[in-house]
Amino acid sequence: MQLSRTVKGHEEIFNHGHSLRPRQRQILFSIGNSISFGELRDKLPSCAELETMVSDLLQSGFVQSQTDRTAGQSAPVSTVSKSPSQEALAHATPPVATSQPADGLDAGRSYVLEFMAALVGTKSPAYRQMSEVQDLAGFNAVLPVCRRVIAAVASPHQAAEMEAGATKRMAG
């Protein structure tokens, strides 16, 4: 079974909601953009009540199950349908720069802002901090914050892609 956060789960993590117990928040955080139940179990081997807690998260709408696309199942595992914003979050890819600014700092900052807007939205404090960056030192201070936000909201892989893309644009 593939698990992913719903918009409600995303808001619980990102907006620092406190409606869940700490262990449930840890599980929700570990689920990220998408993870199989087996991978989650491997990630949290000391969690004896993992199955019960995941079931509670599913029932309360913080998590949804998806069909495993590689297994070729035709019926969805869950009847929860995804909203367009959930689809965008689940399948977000790095933005394609339409016009790259000439300055490396502007290019890197623009790339990070486009990436964050696609995955996190423009109301994030990290987005605001990056939009206010004026120099390389500020950029280097805020980039790790943005990476942590992307890793928490989407996946560590996408966070690494964002950081690598920004670095490439800064050099180019």
Side-chain angles (χ1 to χ4, degrees):
M1 171 184 358
Q2 281 293 118
L3 301 167
S4 64
R5 281 189 217 135
T6 61
V7 170
K8 183 178 179 181
H10 167 76
E11 289 173 358
E12 173 73 18
I13 294 292
F14 186 69
N15 295 332
H16 308 293
H18 296 287
S19 61
L20 295 175
R21 296 185 320 231
R23 192 62 166 171
Q24 288 175 312
R25 282 183 59 80
Q26 180 186 14
I27 291 168
L28 186 61
F29 184 82
S30 296
I31 288 172
N33 193 31
S34 180
I35 191 170
S36 73
F37 184 77
E39 290 171 319
L40 183 61
R41 190 175 41 241
D42 293 345
K43 209 175 201 183
L44 302 169
S46 63
C47 185
E49 299 176 355
L50 182 63
E51 195 168 330
T52 303
M53 289 187 183
V54 168
S55 179
D56 290 346
L57 290 170
L58 281 163
Q59 290 176 355
S60 56
F62 290 101
V63 174
Q64 66 186 3
S65 60
Q66 303 171 322
T67 26
D68 187 353
R69 291 183 178 97
T70 59
Q73 297 173 339
S74 58
V77 175
S78 171
T79 57
V80 178
S81 62
K82 287 185 176 182
S83 69
S85 62
Q86 286 173 307
E87 277 296 324
L89 181 63
H91 301 293
T93 56
V96 176
T98 51
S99 62
Q100 192 169 352
D103 179 50
L105 176 62
D106 286 342
R109 184 179 61 222
S110 295
Y111 180 78
V112 171
L113 290 172
E114 288 175 23
F115 204 102
M116 291 196 66
L119 291 173
V120 179
T122 59
K123 294 183 181 180
S124 159
Y127 182 93
R128 182 187 48 76
Q129 288 174 349
M130 183 56 77
S131 68
E132 294 171 354
V133 164
Q134 298 295 321
D135 57 15
L136 185 58
F139 181 85
N140 289 335
V142 176
L143 186 61
V145 173
C146 295
R147 180 185 174 126
R148 284 192 298 273
V149 169
I150 295 295
V153 172
S155 72
H157 176 75
Q158 286 177 313
E161 282 182 41
M162 184 228 18
E163 190 171 45
T167 303
K168 178 180 173 185
R169 281 157 181 77
M170 296 283 290

